[in-house]
Amino acid sequence: QVQLVESGGGLVQPGGSLRLSCAASRLIFRIYAMGWYRQAPGKQRELVARIMSGGTTNYADSAKGRFTISRDNAKNTVYLQMNSLKPEDTAVYYCEADRPGVEVYWGQGTQVTVSS
């Protein structure tokens, strides 16, 4: 069974940084697109950033210029570097792996809270 395990969430002050990690197992990591999504209380889950198997990336407008997604295929891990964090970035962040149109997997999520 595919597993996606997120880590790196926590409490950070506005303007601070966090790096989220997602370790994947039981899948051929290099062929999957990987994404980070988030869900704030009372809101729908939304895309934050995505990286394709070939390395192409795309970001939500709210993440552009502040967040960077990357992947290490040797470690079966995808990262989300988040800088200049704002209170509105507070959410549960989920890792996602997919082969477009074929299958999708989700992690359990990690809480990110931006507050002074």
Side-chain angles (χ1 to χ4, degrees), residues 8-102:
L11 174 64
V12 63
Q13 292 187 342
S17 298
L18 283 175
R19 188 175 83 152
L20 305 183
S21 300
C22 172
S25 59
R26 302 190 181 98
L27 78 170
I28 304 174
F29 182 80
R30 68 180 186 279
I31 70 173
Y32 281 77
M34 301 297 297
W36 286 99
Y37 290 71
R38 67 186 182 188
Q39 188 167 17
K43 295 188 177 181
Q44 289 189 330
R45 191 173 298 188
E46 63 178 6
L47 172 70
V48 177
R50 196 155 179 260
I51 184 166
M52 305 304 287
S53 58
T56 302
T57 59
N58 64 285
Y59 296 90
D61 287 345
S62 59
K64 288 178 182 177
R66 299 189 301 127
F67 294 2
T68 302
I69 189 170
S70 61
R71 64 190 297 159
D72 186 336
N73 289 343
K75 295 182 178 180
N76 285 9
T77 301
V78 62
Y79 304 97
L80 184 69
Q81 177 67 44
M82 304 188 293
N83 299 327
S84 303
L85 283 161
K86 306 174 182 179
E88 50 264 43
D89 295 317
T90 295
V92 178
Y93 283 70
Y94 295 92
C95 177
E96 176 259 7
D98 72 272
R99 287 193 292 162
V102 177

